[in-house]
Amino acid sequence: MYISINQEFTKEEIANIAIKPWQIQLQGNVLSEHIRANAAKPLLTEIHYNIIKQNADILKFNLPKYFTTDFLKSQINGVLTRNKLFQAANVVLTIIRDINSNKCDIIIATEYAGTGLYEQNEKGLFIDIFNEAFITIHHPNQLDQHCQLINGLAKIAAREKKLDDMLLLADQGFVVSATDSAFFAIQKGKIFQPESDEILFQISSDPCRDQ
């Protein structure tokens, strides 16, 4: 399989093992974002890019100047086409920071996700609220970085209860995320995502009853 490292495409097995995402264990020096793709094109690239930028700003990552939405689209497309993933695919973007120089490596890997394109789930999911542990919110965009343990516990609970997903709660009692699914609410034609305490409060205090 091919991967992208910074602005270059290379075979996974000959990539520098020192910067492979699965070898890095330094919490606080790795950012990751999961992106779906159809027909060798990433979906919702601008949204994913903005999330990455916000997280990078919070953690003071020195992202390279070439890291733009156009770069993201072209590199993902390049990896997908080289791996001949022309239908459904999962893309993992990993940013690894050198703790000495604060410079970052951008790594993009892909994997096969089925024979067909992603389709809308019309049956829904079986979910529950995980309330055995709570997330202390400094900023919701830090969830992936700082709440891996709670997320893991919630995934275990979901498997034990044969559920599709679990919703995670902040210590104030607000829903802030799901373990695997994208969490959002639609109210009066407007989409709300847990991107600020204000939106979390709106969703929690005036929940949507419509599916």
Side-chain angles (χ1 to χ4, degrees):
M1 296 288 283
Y2 281 91
I3 64 173
S4 167
I5 299 180
N6 299 324
Q7 295 175 291
E8 303 292 334
F9 300 104
T10 183
K11 282 291 190 79
E12 186 177 304
E13 57 267 23
I14 63 174
N16 184 353
I17 195 170
I19 61 173
K20 281 186 177 180
W22 51 90
Q23 296 289 335
I24 299 298
Q25 302 295 330
L26 297 175
Q27 188 172 2
N29 292 296
V30 179
L31 286 174
S32 64
E33 185 73 9
H34 293 257
I35 303 170
R36 291 186 175 182
N38 275 336
K41 294 182 179 179
L43 305 177
L44 305 175
T45 313
E46 289 80 8
I47 293 176
H48 288 291
Y49 177 81
N50 289 335
I51 291 172
I52 295 164
K53 287 284 290 180
Q54 290 172 8
N55 283 331
D57 289 342
I58 292 168
L59 297 173
K60 302 187 184 302
F61 273 48
N62 184 19
L63 295 176
K65 292 182 179 180
Y66 63 75
F67 186 72
T68 64
T69 54
D70 288 338
F71 163 82
L72 201 54
K73 291 176 183 178
S74 64
Q75 291 299 112
I76 291 175
N77 176 264
V79 176
L80 291 169
T81 54
R82 283 167 173 78
N83 291 324
K84 299 181 179 180
L85 295 175
F86 299 115
Q87 293 180 308
N90 295 320
V91 179
V92 181
L93 169 70
T94 305
I95 302 175
I96 301 172
R97 173 171 58 185
D98 184 318
I99 58 176
N100 297 313
S101 66
N102 201 33
K103 293 182 178 179
C104 297
D105 289 301
I106 312 294
I107 301 173
I108 298 172
T110 58
E111 62 180 6
Y112 178 69
T115 58
L117 301 178
Y118 282 106
E119 297 180 357
Q120 182 176 353
N121 181 343
E122 296 181 353
K123 296 181 180 179
L125 299 173
F126 289 98
I127 64 173
D128 199 355
I129 294 176
F130 183 73
N131 56 10
E132 297 178 21
F134 301 95
I135 293 170
T136 299
I137 294 297
H138 299 289
H139 192 289
N141 286 327
Q142 293 180 334
L143 288 176
D144 288 340
Q145 192 66 38
H146 298 289
C147 301
Q148 296 174 356
L149 176 59
I150 295 175
N151 195 74
L153 291 173
K155 285 184 177 182
I156 293 172
R159 287 197 299 268
E160 290 176 346
K161 295 182 178 181
K162 297 182 179 181
L163 299 172
D164 295 304
D165 212 336
M166 281 282 196
L167 298 181
L168 304 179
L169 298 177
D171 47 10
Q172 302 97 329
F174 304 152
V175 175
V176 292
S177 179
T179 62
D180 287 314
S181 307
F183 174 75
F184 63 92
I186 300 176
Q187 186 178 46
K188 297 179 181 179
K190 187 174 181 180
I191 296 177
F192 294 92
Q193 290 181 292
E195 295 179 349
S196 70
D197 289 339
E198 179 182 0
I199 291 177
L200 293 176
F201 178 78
Q202 289 173 354
I203 294 175
S204 179
S205 62
D206 190 11
C208 299
R209 292 181 171 82
D210 296 331
Q211 300 295 322

